[in-house]
Amino acid sequence: MGSWWRSRDMKYVSLILSEDAAHECVHNLGELSALQFTDLNPEQTAFQRRYVNYVKRCDELERKLRFILKEIEAFGLQISSTSHTYEMETTTSKTTASRSSALLLDTLEAELEEYETQLLELNTYSNELTHKYNEKVEFQECLEKGRKFLAAEADGASSKLDTVNPLSSAYGAPAISEDGMQPLLADASRGHSGASSVVHRTLVPSCSGLASGGFKHVIEGEMKFSSTVGILKADEKSRFERMLFRSTRGNCFARFAEVERPIADAATGRPEFKIVFIVFFKSEVISAIINKICDAFGARQYPVPDHLTLGNASQLGLIVRETTSELADAREVLLKNRELRLALCSRLARRYSEWKAVVLREKAIYHVLNLFRADVSGMLRGEGWIVASAEVDARTLISQTHAAMDLAGASMLSQVPLPWPVPPTSFDVNEFTYAFQEFVDTYGVPRYKEINPALFTAVTFPFLFGMMYGDIGHGACILLGGIYLLITHPAYRRCVSSAGENEMLGGVYASRYMLITMGLCAIYVGFVYNDCFSLALALFDSGYLWEGSKGSVAGSVDGGAEANLSAPYGSTGSIYPFGVDPAWHISSNELLFFNSMKMKTAVIFGVVQMTGGIFLKGLNALYFGDRAVFWLEFMPMIIFDFCLFVYMAVLIFTKWAINWDRRQLMGSCGIDGLTFDQRPCSDGDSLKHKCALNFGGETGGCAPPNLINQLINIALNPGVVDEPMYSGQGSAQSALLAIAFLSVPVLLLGKPVYIYFQHASQPASASQPISTQIEMDQDSTSSEDPKSKEVHSFSEVLIHQCIETIEFVLGMVSNTASYLRLWALSLAHTELAQVFWEKIMRTAINANSIFFVFVAYSTFAVVTAAVLLAMDLLECFLHALRLHWVEFQNKFYKADGTRFTPFTLGQLSDK
């Protein structure tokens, strides 16, 4: 707990290491995780550092590892986590000889270079094979579809005499162009369809019976057509067909056939749905146009023979058989290549983690070595902050490392003489305190040796959240959620070690203990409020009796019935054992009662927390020995706080503690015409005249006061109390107000004047500027107290103190009002839960319908989870966060420290 109350003791040390043992020493210090190195070469760029070449080599190794990781992930393999140490295979024991980092990098570079070369060769071969295989698949589809085109046309060649060009019918028959190009099929008696190849072959179309797309042999030389066959993406068919028609002015004929299954694209390798096309034309000009269109659409053309031509039918069959055989052979080669790559990646996946750890470790070590300075040949000097408790261990590690390399006496770790730079802040946290420390560090890191707000936040944050969220049922849901995170955390850690960490999910799991404490506090405050899903729990007998009730719990109560105490006021029987009496939940003044209770409770807790923050400021001043801050800032602040705000809390407790039934009896006129102190009276006499207390004001102290009016009148109408609670209240409040006002000038001018006279009494030149000193304890064992000086002029100090004074005085008022959010959010939570219950569940229950109840319960559960367990949870969390960051921490917390970031090798793999 001591290391969480204030940060751990730090020392600024200097290291002298032999260059031969520097790598090993830094490695061992990284495992110790207690030393933060400082840069002794700030004037050098990254490329001018001593070990920049080693860092570049590590960067190149990281590039190769990223490439290997990409290949491993492509096969969906899992990275194996292993504790095997890579260097144990390549170097000798570190207890007998030094770890040769250069040899380690050389061995690792050679090994990774070999694996990278193998993967690149296999990938290149695989890409070439895949490209050729996909081309053969497309060629086979073109052969099959082209043969079907021509076979179908040949079989139906004599069916009809007329045919219509689909392109002409779709876009209208084109007229003769200006260049004299006659459309290929200008009338209904022109033939179409067929098959050819890139090397355009000829086909003799039929002049009759073309309605079915048939072809027929005619006299040689009558008319010959060229054709081309290719393959195209299916979604490009309409655009491709339209472009063909418009570019050739209808002087071509195209047929299409869909490929039944998606095939891999020869260029990209992605599976796509495609279509095979065959285009007939009769011009070299049109041939060039068609080729350009195919190139523009990414359509590939393949040489498909025309089997209607003499001898081509057997040639086509032979090509089909050869292509099928080649496809089978290519598939076998591809599968073999994939097996080789899979086997290689499986071996790499088993060793990837250790390679990654070695490279990250070596790179981190060389980054640290770049911070050292080579003052003497063969020696390196470094400086940094070390945790005081680990100084002996670090010195032992360095000595043992040099001794193992026969370099005894060539090292030194010593404390740097004062003055030191500003020390970093380090706290010893565990899984429970980690979330609360991060909670505070998000606002700002504490100064070195400043009181850590996280220690108090771990207690006050869950409780203030519970005050706003107080409900037994809803708090139980949060508690169960936190317990679930606690139980599943080991499984989550295993997933992180294999698949990497999710930042958002990691933050949720890190706050599991915070959620548990929030749920517990919400349940506790829920018992205090006696609120469970907006319903009161009759855990004990009520202290009130209603007409018609049985045992103060069961029975029915008519509207307007009055409740009476079941026992004399103040006795044990009239007090509910714990929390609010359930009778208040069914009373007509329920809202008024809870508003008053929660509002006053919020103010009390707010004043207590703010006062605690001011006391922490005084403790910091005493610890650092800053007398000016303690006497001229802390004392005026605490006096101002006690005279106004603590007194306000005292008034609340005083009102709660007074038996107002007895007080009102003391201010009444009895049936015998006498007051409580036996003075004659009448009903027309004022309460002040009848009251036996005679405290002054309008009531004489016999009527409960309105505290809000009293608090306002303290400042606006000093000395006047209309409804006093004790004798001399007006004079006491006037005295407290005067003391509070007098503390403000002391807070405003005290510290600047003190600094001014302190400077004037020092023997210095008249032109020397005033300096304020901030003392910080660097070493509890040192006889010298070092001081960090900030130089200001007197006017700057005065302006700064003026701002501080205004911020504190006005902030106390606004911060006190800000704590009323504890009441407001608690009221909103309770009323929302009550509305959901009454409007959904209660309505359904009164309907006496099982189906209606089931639907209503489902709706009630969803609305409760979405609004109260999600939105309202986040709202209360953020408001509790603000109360700590603004209202509490600004009383004492500077939040301008630097976090201690030691060189550590433990988490490099995760990072």
Side-chain angles (χ1 to χ4, degrees), residues 752 755-757 759-760 767-772 790-795 797:
I755 295 174
Y756 175 80
F757 283 105
H759 172 72
S767 61
Q768 184 179 358
I770 299 174
S771 64
T772 60
E790 299 177 356
V791 180
H792 301 283
S793 66
F794 178 76
S795 60
V797 175

Side-chain angles (χ1 to χ4, degrees), residues 140 144 319-329:
Q140 186 183 38
E144 295 291 338
I319 293 176
V320 170
R321 289 191 297 272
E322 290 179 353
T323 303
T324 304
S325 177
E326 291 175 358
L327 277 174
D329 294 340

Side-chain angles (χ1 to χ4, degrees), residues 5-176:
W5 164 253
R6 296 189 188 273
S7 59
R8 293 187 289 183
D9 293 332
M10 307 295 295
K11 289 185 178 181
Y12 194 65
V13 296
S14 175
L15 296 86
I16 305 297
L17 306 176
S18 172
E19 190 170 2
D20 295 335
H23 180 278
E24 182 70 15
C25 289
V26 172
H27 175 270
N28 292 336
L29 291 175
E31 293 180 344
L32 184 62
S33 302
L35 184 60
Q36 174 182 326
F37 294 92
T38 56
D39 190 2
L40 299 183
N41 308 295
E43 72 283 354
Q44 294 182 350
T45 64
F47 298 99
Q48 296 174 331
R49 302 293 175 124
R50 188 180 186 87
Y51 295 93
V52 62
N53 290 330
Y54 290 94
V55 176
K56 289 181 179 179
R57 292 172 66 184
C58 292
D59 289 336
E60 178 63 17
L61 290 174
E62 281 191 293
R63 183 198 63 77
K64 293 178 181 179
L65 287 174
R66 287 194 297 269
F67 169 73
I68 292 174
L69 178 62
K70 181 180 178 182
E71 295 298 318
I72 293 174
E73 292 176 344
F75 285 98
L77 299 175
Q78 293 292 331
I79 302 296
S80 301
S81 57
T82 176
S83 58
H84 182 67
T85 306
Y86 176 76
E87 65 266 16
M88 295 301 291
E89 298 180 354
T90 59
T91 61
T92 58
S93 173
K94 66 179 181 180
T95 59
T96 59
S98 66
R99 180 189 290 109
S100 175
S101 59
L103 177 61
L104 178 63
L105 290 180
D106 291 340
T107 306
L108 191 56
E109 283 176 335
E111 193 170 1
L112 291 182
E113 181 70 26
E114 179 183 358
Y115 286 128
E116 184 186 29
T117 302
Q118 293 179 17
L119 281 175
L120 289 174
E121 290 177 355
L122 289 174
N123 287 345
T124 302
Y125 190 42
S126 175
N127 292 335
E128 292 177 356
L129 288 175
T130 302
H131 180 74
K132 293 179 180 179
Y133 177 80
N134 293 335
E135 283 187 340
K136 291 183 182 297
V137 171
E138 291 183 350
F139 183 39
Q140 186 183 38
E141 292 291 341
C142 290
L143 288 173
E144 295 291 338
K145 296 297 186 293
R147 183 170 59 178
K148 291 180 181 179
F149 282 147
L150 299 176
E153 303 300 344
D155 293 341
S158 59
S159 60
K160 293 184 180 179
L161 296 177
D162 298 328
T163 186
V164 179
N165 186 356
L167 296 176
S168 298
S169 62
Y171 303 105
I176 299 177

Side-chain angles (χ1 to χ4, degrees), residues 264-533:
D265 186 79
T268 63
R270 292 191 298 267
E272 296 174 342
F273 284 96
K274 297 193 175 185
I275 57 173
V276 176
F277 64 87
I278 181 169
V279 182
F280 297 97
F281 53 89
K282 187 179 170 19
S283 171
E284 292 297 330
V285 176
I286 295 177
S287 174
I289 293 174
I290 293 175
N291 289 335
K292 290 180 180 180
I293 294 174
C294 291
D295 292 339
F297 280 86
R300 281 173 295 279
Q301 300 165 284
Y302 293 95
V304 178
D306 174 14
H307 78 293
L308 295 182
T309 306
L310 185 61
N312 283 348
S314 59
Q315 181 183 359
L316 181 62
L318 178 62
I319 293 176
V320 170
R321 289 191 297 272
E322 290 179 353
T323 303
T324 304
S325 177
E326 291 175 358
L327 277 174
D329 294 340
R331 180 176 178 82
E332 289 295 328
V333 176
L334 275 175
L335 291 176
K336 186 64 177 178
N337 178 273
R338 178 179 174 83
E339 291 177 359
L340 291 175
R341 288 191 296 133
L342 179 60
L344 179 58
C345 289
S346 298
R347 294 199 304 271
L348 297 179
R350 289 192 294 269
R351 304 191 62 187
Y352 176 84
S353 295
E354 72 179 75
W355 286 335
K356 185 71 172 178
V358 170
V359 172
L360 289 178
R361 186 197 65 201
E362 294 299 314
K363 185 177 180 180
I365 291 175
Y366 285 116
H367 269 301
V368 172
L369 289 175
N370 280 331
L371 304 178
F372 283 64
R373 181 184 289 274
D375 295 330
V376 181
S377 177
M379 304 296 291
L380 295 177
R381 179 175 63 88
E383 293 181 359
W385 292 101
I386 189 170
V387 180
S389 59
E391 182 182 6
V392 176
D393 294 337
R395 185 177 289 109
T396 302
L397 280 176
I398 294 174
S399 300
Q400 290 177 351
T401 303
H402 282 76
M405 301 178 182
D406 296 330
L407 296 171
S411 64
M412 183 180 66
L413 188 149
S414 60
Q415 184 173 322
V416 176
L418 299 172
W420 295 342
V422 178
T425 303
S426 173
F427 295 104
D428 188 11
V429 297
N430 51 37
E431 290 186 348
F432 177 83
T433 59
Y434 170 79
F436 296 102
Q437 189 62 55
E438 289 296 315
F439 185 93
V440 171
D441 289 348
T442 303
Y443 179 82
V445 179
R447 284 183 178 180
Y448 177 66
K449 288 300 180 179
E450 183 181 22
I451 292 176
N452 185 16
L455 177 63
F456 305 94
T457 301
V459 178
T460 57
F461 176 80
F463 188 78
L464 293 185
F465 171 85
M467 289 184 65
M468 292 181 281
Y469 200 76
D471 188 284
I472 300 172
H474 299 151
C477 294
I478 300 177
L479 176 62
L480 292 176
I483 294 175
Y484 171 79
L485 294 176
L486 184 64
I487 294 174
T488 59
H489 182 255
Y492 169 73
R493 295 307 307 169
R494 290 192 295 269
C495 293
V496 168
S497 61
S498 60
E501 185 170 5
N502 183 295
E503 183 177 358
M504 181 174 294
L505 191 59
V508 173
Y509 271 98
S511 61
R512 59 192 182 279
Y513 289 105
M514 179 184 288
L515 289 174
I516 290 175
T517 56
M518 289 164 56
L520 289 174
C521 289
I523 293 174
Y524 171 78
V525 178
F527 276 109
V528 173
Y529 295 161
N530 200 353
D531 206 352
C532 180
F533 294 113

